[in-house]
Amino acid sequence: MKTAIEVDLSLEHTLFSSFACYLFTEKETAEETTWIGQVDPIRGARLTQREGRVEIELERNSRAALDYLTRDAIGLWHKPNLEDVETSRALQKLALDVLPGIRVPKLHRNKWHVLLSALLSVHAKVSYSRAWFLSLTKYSLREFQTMTPLQLRDHTKSATGISAGFRMRYLTELVNDLFQKYPDAEDPLEELCKKPTPELRVQLLQLRNLG
């Protein structure tokens, strides 16, 4: 499944300025960079930018995945009115002068991946935390609940050459906290996110090692 979008967008600036970069790996040549999706629902998707054109190819024929990728995951879901408020003018300067073509990804189908990348990025080089992230995405929330920090530290060291260290204690404590709040849920984070936005913000700030 293929498509192409004519748009004023920089994939590099958009992905590397957010946790969206954890969901992709890059394959670089002298002419271009291809971003390859590493997690569902964008696993195997290939994004290549050529001037003002983004070419997208999916491994499977999924309209929902394509819509999520083209609209939300690369930040095309919203174009703010940059004349409204002072903060918008600041965003305009950022987009035009500092990091041209930057957008804000909305990763609502990858909530857990965003949370995981946030924990892994604590006092860590992006190159390290992205490698840890890729080594851990094979585990479900339920599987994390059964693992110890030591097991996870050993796994990250074996998979990447560098242990994720204290972050694995943060991770297991956070997962256990979520399941204590929603013990019967297959995905407690999704259950939490069903709350009204004001209450959700408070609840997220109260999660262990996150707020």
Side-chain angles (χ1 to χ4, degrees):
M1 192 171 189
K2 297 181 180 180
T3 190
I5 308 171
E6 301 285 345
V7 64
D8 180 20
L9 166 76
S10 167
L11 282 177
E12 180 182 10
H13 290 165
T14 294
L15 298 180
F16 272 127
S17 67
S18 76
F19 288 123
C21 71
Y22 286 78
L23 310 185
F24 297 87
T25 57
E26 311 93 72
K27 182 179 180 181
E28 298 185 26
T29 67
E31 295 78 25
E32 62 194 21
T33 299
T34 298
W35 298 79
I36 305 170
Q38 298 298 309
V39 295
D40 293 331
I42 57 175
R43 189 183 303 277
R46 302 174 68 87
L47 287 73
T48 306
Q49 183 157 29
R50 296 181 175 90
E51 298 181 353
R53 179 183 177 92
V54 177
E55 298 177 0
I56 300 171
E57 181 177 356
L58 274 75
E59 285 187 338
R60 53 196 177 91
N61 191 20
S62 171
R63 186 76 239 177
L66 183 62
D67 289 345
Y68 175 61
L69 187 58
T70 56
R71 172 180 160 81
D72 298 326
I74 59 174
L76 301 182
W77 60 278
H78 177 59
K79 186 173 183 180
N81 184 345
L82 297 176
E83 303 301 324
D84 280 353
V85 293
E86 185 61 36
T87 53
S88 290
R89 286 191 283 274
L91 288 172
Q92 184 180 42
K93 181 173 178 60
L94 177 67
L96 297 179
D97 301 337
V98 182
L99 293 170
I102 192 171
R103 297 294 182 94
V104 180
K106 183 169 67 171
L107 304 173
H108 57 93
R109 295 187 63 181
N110 295 98
K111 298 181 185 72
W112 167 241
H113 294 127
V114 172
L115 203 59
L116 176 60
S117 58
L119 287 176
L120 295 175
S121 66
V122 176
H123 302 302
K125 292 182 178 180
V126 173
S127 58
Y128 294 166
S129 56
R130 289 178 78 196
W132 295 330
F133 175 88
L134 291 176
S135 77
L136 292 169
T137 55
K138 67 178 183 178
Y139 297 120
S140 68
L141 276 172
R142 284 288 181 189
E143 289 174 311
F144 280 124
Q145 192 185 22
T146 66
M147 301 177 76
T148 67
L150 180 58
Q151 287 175 312
L152 291 168
R153 288 199 297 268
D154 289 345
H155 167 75
T156 54
K157 184 173 183 179
S158 174
T160 71
I162 302 173
S163 169
F166 66 90
R167 302 164 192 84
M168 297 300 90
R169 176 174 60 82
Y170 286 2
L171 173 59
T172 55
E173 289 176 348
L174 173 62
V175 170
N176 288 330
D177 191 20
L178 280 168
F179 277 109
Q180 284 177 6
K181 289 180 169 62
Y182 300 94
D184 298 323
E186 184 62 30
D187 188 334
L189 185 58
E190 283 293 343
E191 289 299 314
L192 176 61
C193 289
K194 292 177 181 178
K195 294 183 177 296
T197 301
E199 183 180 354
L200 172 60
R201 287 172 177 160
V202 173
Q203 292 290 324
L204 286 172
L205 289 172
Q206 292 175 346
L207 286 177
R208 187 77 179 268
N209 301 321
L210 184 65

